[in-house]
Every structure is written in structure tokens, then in C-alpha cells.
Amino acid sequence: MDILSIIIHTKSRKNDYFVVIYREEIVKRRLSMNSNILPRMSGILLHPTSLPSPYGIGDLGEEAYHFVDFLEASGQHLWQMLPLTHTGYGDSPYQSFSAFAGQPLLISPGHLLKLRLISQEDLADCPKTDPDHIDYGTIIPWKNRLLEKAYDSFLTRDFPELKERLSSFCQKNSYWLDDYGLFLACKKVNGGVSWLEWEDAYRIPTPAFKASLRQELSQDIGFYQFVQFLFFEEWQELKSYANEHGVHIIGDIPIFVSMDSADVWANRHLFQLDTKGFPLRVAGVPPDYFSETGQLWGNPLYQWEVHEKEGYAWWISRIKNQLEVLDILRIDHFRGFEAYWSVPYGEKTAVNGEWVKGPNKKLFAAIEAALGGNLPIIAEDLGVITPEVEDLRDTFHFPGMKVLQFAFESLDENGFLPHQFTTANCVCYTGTHDNDTTCGWYATLAPHCREKTAMYMNLREGDSIGMAFVRTALSSIAAYAIFPLQDVLGIGKEGRMNTPGVPAGNWGWRYTKDALTDSLAEDLRALTALYGRCTR
């Protein structure tokens, strides 16, 4: 037997386990045998906005480091997040002003203090908010004023090293940062409304007018670039800390970009728009598990023929950018690359759409040619999945997703049940950001489905359904097991992050500082080690 293992008898307050912990070297040895085999790991889904903070919203500051410490202590190797981009309408991370720019709300006041850009007195007027929930309407204007104070300090005081780092950042990221800064500066001039409502000169600017705007709006452009510099500098510090402690970051991008974004405004030829910039057809999904009338997202659709003519350069730069910022990338609505649901602009629902073929393998072949093979990408392959979508996913060895809640919606056999998994090259989730928490979901489950769930997981009186789902995910053959923190904590429907099709009241949940206890970390670590996912 060439695999060395240490058998440790671990006693917890609830159960006795014989836990087999494989050394990290064994995982590396397995990986060297076949680069397409993923190591068995697990982790927690938590967006940074949900972290505790005295400033009304979670950020990249001290509590983010404490969460990494909790992940390490509990034997987790993965921290999955939602898109880290600059959110627009509805505060959704899936509707952003840029596919590249970071979320300014995640910049921590502590980072600004460390850089001496603000003083402690500048934080005195921080609004009092609910520690369990984010009040975006209150926090956004306060955070923006704080960032403006930091920029004013940067301009009026001497920061030679900071200015040198900023200059380097701007040069490296000019391919997206220049248009992003100009876009937001123009948005400010036009009262913050969507660029489709701007005057013609701003909506479809000539090269000469753009050049004059860069001069005229240089200070505002500089502010937006400065904020991005602050975000990515703080982010890289946190990511480095996580990696040093054995935690890999799984990020997320939606396949489509927001209509009101720098991406569309500055690259109109890449999207299905009319001569005035308005969309001809928009994205969505047909009626499904989440909605009887489908989901009308409203995102502009790509002109894939133009992307192909340009060698998919925009997509290559997007993926390259994200893989520099993250360790692993989940692509939301992966099936849209094979075929996407196209809805005429102006429709009230997504019912009257049609499937249109996408770029399929040509896109990812171009990305691999530019960036190399074995890309660390997870394919969100939920919804209407065809053999063609599965072939696209499997051709590039992208792991797909298995959501345990979907396994128990009926008494039928289905591919989401762990005993039906046919490959380890997948990610098993208890639920996603679009699902109710497992406790909330279970409370409204049909009685016969609840009985099946209880029998499948051998539930006993007093057991937490959230942790039962965590255990089931950990025990599956899936290479990665991911569970929202809400399920680990046993939180009900009040912890739901997003309800698809509901435009308001989402993305606000936060946990409190006292929730992550040493005993919770010990219990989670024991379970994780029991199922061979703890490699420390």
C-alpha cells in the first residue's frame, strides 16, 4: 500500500469517529497522476458583504481574516463568493457597472486608516444599522463620502509610494479601467441614470468627444480609478493571506453583463443593439424551477459573430483578468454558451423567447489557446441541460454542479441524489445563493418529500437539517463540497440571500461575530476529515 495515512480517533460532543486524514502530499501525488482529477476538498459559500462589521456592511477588513482563520480551523480549503464587481441597480452582484471593476463597498475603513487617508474622526458619523442585515440605501452614500474624503486626502497630501503604486495599477489595468472611469464620470454628469437615457453626445460619443471628456472629467475619472486601486490592493492582501492558510478563493461571474455598464457602453459592436444603443433582444431563461414565467434578466445579448472575428479577445481578457484575481472561477449560466434564451426587447416576461445557438466550443478553444489548458473553471450547469451542453462542459473537463435541495423536490430518482452521481468531477452544493437556506427550504417541503429526506439522511429528533445536508455533501463522491454558511449555522428563511424574480430585498443577510465558535469549527473539521476532505 503506497498511500500513507494517519488514523486518528477523534471524540466530539456528539459522536465518535475514526477519522482518516490523508497528508497533503498524497493529494499532490494524485494530482500529478492526472491533471484532470480534482483533490477532495470542501468549503463555505459566503459573500464578503455578509461578514460582520461595525460599518453596516461586510468588507475586506479584519473580519474577513477571521473568517479565513475559521475556514482553516474547520478544515475547509475553499471560500466561494458571489461576483466581486461594482454593483448597480438592485445591489445585485450579477448586475454590475463593469465586468472587471471591484466593489467599492467592500473597501474597509480600516484599510483607509492604515493608509492614513482618513482619520478615526471621519468614522464618527457612521450610521447605526442592523447587524443582521445591510441597509444599502443608508450605507452606500456614507461609504461614498468616506471614499471621497480619502481621495481628497490623497490629492492634497504627500503620498509618494501610494501614488507610484496607483500609477502602476492604472497602467496595468488600462484596458478596462480607462473606459470604466470615463463611464462613471459621464454617469455622474448625467445624474446617475442609465446611459441609454443620456444625451446623444454622451450615449454614442465620437472619439474626439471622448478625448475631450477625458480632459474635462479628469478629476472624477481619477477618483474612480483610485477607488479601484484601493479595492484591488486590499483584495490581493486578503487573497494572499487565504492562500497562505490553505484556502483557495472560488469567484463567480455571470455569463452576461449589465446593460448599464462600461462594457456595453464602450463596446457596443459586441452586443445586439440598435443604432441608438438600445437592445434588440435580451437575456433570460424560460419557465423553470424558480419561476412559472421564466426569468427576464434584461441583459443585452452578445454579437457572437463579431466576437469570433476578433478572436474572442474581450472574453479572453475577461477570463484572464478573473483568474488573476481568483483561484477558481465559476461561470453562471454556463449553458448559455451552447444555446441562450433570446427574448425580444420590450417583453414583460421571458415566456416568448427562443433558443439561439451560442459559440459553443470555439470560445473555450480560443481561451485555452491564449491562456493554456486545464483552466480552473466550474460550469454552472443547472436548468435546461442538453447533451450538447454536457458535451461542451466535459470536452474542457469543467466540473458541473449538483444541488442537494433539488434531489428531494420529488420522490423520483434524479441526478442530484448522491447515489446517482456518475463522476467525481463535480461540485456538490447543499444549496446556492438562489435557493432558500436548507432549514427554510425544509420547513416548506411537501410532507412526503420531507419524509424521504429524513430517511435518506437518517435524521433523528433534534438533528439539524442544515448540518445533515452538509454531512451528505461531504460524504458524496464529488471532488468539491460547498455549503452556504447559513446551512452550517442552521439559519432559516431569514438568512436567504436572493429570491430569483424578486427585484428588492435581496443580498442583505449578515451573520454576527459570535456565530463562529471554536466548537463549531471542531465539529465541522471532524466531519470534513471523516470524509477525506481535510488535507492539513
Side-chain angles (χ1 to χ4, degrees), residues 232-299:
F232 282 106
E233 189 165 77
E234 186 173 16
W235 167 254
Q236 289 297 344
E237 289 178 7
L238 174 62
K239 181 180 178 295
S240 295
Y241 181 84
N243 292 165
E244 289 165 5
H245 288 259
V247 174
H248 308 284
I249 305 295
I250 302 178
D252 196 349
I253 63 169
I255 181 176
F256 299 115
V257 297
S258 173
M259 184 69 221
D260 189 24
S261 68
D263 310 291
V264 182
W265 177 73
N267 303 281
R268 292 186 302 279
H269 67 295
L270 296 178
F271 299 88
Q272 296 181 28
L273 309 178
D274 65 18
T275 56
K276 294 185 178 180
F278 289 87
L280 298 170
R281 302 181 72 89
V282 295
V285 289
D288 62 4
Y289 168 86
F290 292 112
S291 174
E292 293 180 357
T293 58
Q295 298 177 46
L296 185 63
W297 296 336
N299 305 78

Side-chain angles (χ1 to χ4, degrees), residues 140-159:
I140 289 175
W142 179 79
K143 203 71 174 276
N144 284 342
R145 288 195 300 270
L146 196 65
L147 291 170
E148 287 167 359
K149 287 181 180 179
Y151 186 55
D152 182 65
S153 176
F154 175 76
L155 292 178
T156 56
R157 293 167 50 200
D158 189 25
F159 292 97

Side-chain angles (χ1 to χ4, degrees), residues 87-99:
T87 54
Y89 174 75
D91 308 307
S92 169
Y94 295 90
Q95 295 287 350
S96 301
F97 291 135
S98 168

Side-chain angles (χ1 to χ4, degrees), residues 462-476:
D463 285 351
S464 163
I465 184 64
M467 283 304 290
F469 265 62
V470 170
R471 175 193 283 269
T472 303
L474 288 168
S475 67
S476 74

